[in-house]
Amino acid sequence: MINRLISYCLKTPFVVLVIYGSVFFWGLWAMTNIPIDAIPDIGEKQVIVYTEWPGRSAQDVEDQVTYPLTVSLRGVPGVKTIRAASAFGFSEVYLIFHDNIDYYWARSRVLEKLNIAATRLPMGVVPVLGPDATGLGQVFWYTVEGEGHTLDELRSYQDWFIRYQLNSVEGVSEVASVGGFLKQYQIDVDPNKMLSHGVSLHEILEAVKTSNIDIGAKVIESGGMEYIIRGLGFIKSTDDIENIAVGYKEGTPIYVKNIGIVQLGPEFRRGLLDKEGKEVVGGVVIMRYGENAMQTIHRVKEKIKEIEPGLPRGVKIIPFYDRTQLIHRTIGTLKEALILEIIITMAVVVPFLAHIFAGVIICLALPFSVMISFICMYYLKIDSNIMSLSGIAIAIGTLVDMGIIMTENIYRRLLVHAQDIKNGIKTR
């Protein structure tokens, strides 16, 4: 069988060239489409259920949120184990699935169970699924910087403009904001004034909540035209809050400004982002599960170029961490190994065999074997990372050894055959 194959290749060199050319372009296509990352994703398939319950202790969260969720989610098919953590004001439940379970099928099953589990939780507590990403999904960090802009202004630009734009990029699961201050309307009430006016804290909360709303009514016909009636009530400044009526006393309305002070301030925070000793505002781009990190980062950078002209003057988006640099160094390791192997092969084979074409034949096998490896990796859904590329780089050495052995053996037999013909000896 092997003799026939070799004989056919020798008789039809055009077919061999066509096969080589097809493998070359097929391999290039596979290399550009295979998911490329710097490090392999060795994490388990997990779905995170996140639940907020502000102001509650870790024990209360554990008893009334985490435990009911853990019990309700035990029946999800394909779950290997469930882990949970409770902290001040929030709960996290980690569902670890078996490796043969489809990731998005697992998320849909968890979502179905959450509809039932939510009925066992306290009123107003809503569990949500975490991003469809792995622990290695943080592929790009950036900072939002600008001279003359405060941290709360930069955080507002990040939360209400930049984050929404980057969320629309293909391959991005979530864009998380880090650092800065969340702008917040704060009402500092005076207990003594509340007592003197006979107003409770619950009445203040309800009054502010019901006042921050637009109301629609019917229409008025006049002159053959209809005018829509609207009641504009959304809060736009601290003055709007100060003039909210929270009650009446002897026919006189009691406003918020009569019982407290309204001001703009930062929301309570538990962390910050530091860059070279300076506090900054930033964002984390989290890649969706199974996406190509290289292509996702490239699309994010293109989107940043599009939205930068729409930012206020002086505000810039500066990359803080970019995984493409590590990916390029990983790919460079394979390129360097391939180039060095070709150079060493030519330096060893040509002087010993005194035949340049023999070295060329051995060197041609190296890039084409790499191409075939990428084709197999693409269809077997094996990501290209430092582990797989290192394996290819190590295998190149074995390929060189086999090529040298085979080429030297063929060359030696050809020399013996030529010597026999010269001496008049017939060989088969």
Side-chain angles (χ1 to χ4, degrees), residues 241-256:
I241 300 179
E242 290 178 346
N243 294 316
I244 293 176
V246 296
Y248 297 91
K249 186 175 183 181
E250 298 179 357
T252 303
I254 303 172
Y255 299 104
V256 172

Side-chain angles (χ1 to χ4, degrees), residues 378-390:
Y378 176 81
Y379 288 102
L380 293 175
K381 297 182 179 180
I382 299 175
D383 296 345
S384 175
N385 49 62
I386 192 171
M387 297 297 293
S388 57
L389 296 182
S390 298

Side-chain angles (χ1 to χ4, degrees), residues 128-193:
V128 296
L129 291 184
D132 51 341
T134 64
L136 300 175
Q138 299 182 12
V139 295
F140 189 79
W141 285 58
Y142 63 89
T143 58
V144 184
E145 303 178 19
E147 293 292 336
H149 296 271
T150 60
L151 291 175
D152 58 337
E153 291 176 344
L154 294 174
R155 180 59 184 263
S156 297
Y157 302 149
Q158 159 65 17
D159 286 341
W160 301 103
F161 180 69
I162 299 174
R163 181 165 63 96
Y164 291 147
Q165 296 293 327
L166 297 183
N167 262 330
S168 63
V169 176
E170 182 182 356
V172 175
S173 173
E174 184 183 23
V175 179
S177 300
V178 185
F181 297 98
L182 286 175
K183 190 182 294 185
Q184 189 180 63
Y185 290 101
Q186 298 176 348
I187 304 175
D188 297 330
V189 295
D190 189 335
N192 296 324
K193 293 181 179 180

Side-chain angles (χ1 to χ4, degrees), residues 88-162:
F88 177 75
F90 69 92
S91 164
E92 290 180 332
V93 179
Y94 301 87
L95 290 92
I96 312 300
F97 287 83
H98 293 285
D99 292 336
N100 61 338
I101 301 297
D102 181 74
Y103 182 71
Y104 288 100
W105 181 87
R107 288 178 63 88
S108 63
R109 299 287 81 79
V110 173
L111 193 60
E112 290 177 358
K113 281 287 186 177
L114 282 182
N115 295 329
I116 302 175
T119 59
R120 303 181 180 180
L121 303 181
M123 185 178 298
V125 178
V126 180
V128 296
L129 291 184
D132 51 341
T134 64
L136 300 175
Q138 299 182 12
V139 295
F140 189 79
W141 285 58
Y142 63 89
T143 58
V144 184
E145 303 178 19
E147 293 292 336
H149 296 271
T150 60
L151 291 175
D152 58 337
E153 291 176 344
L154 294 174
R155 180 59 184 263
S156 297
Y157 302 149
Q158 159 65 17
D159 286 341
W160 301 103
F161 180 69
I162 299 174

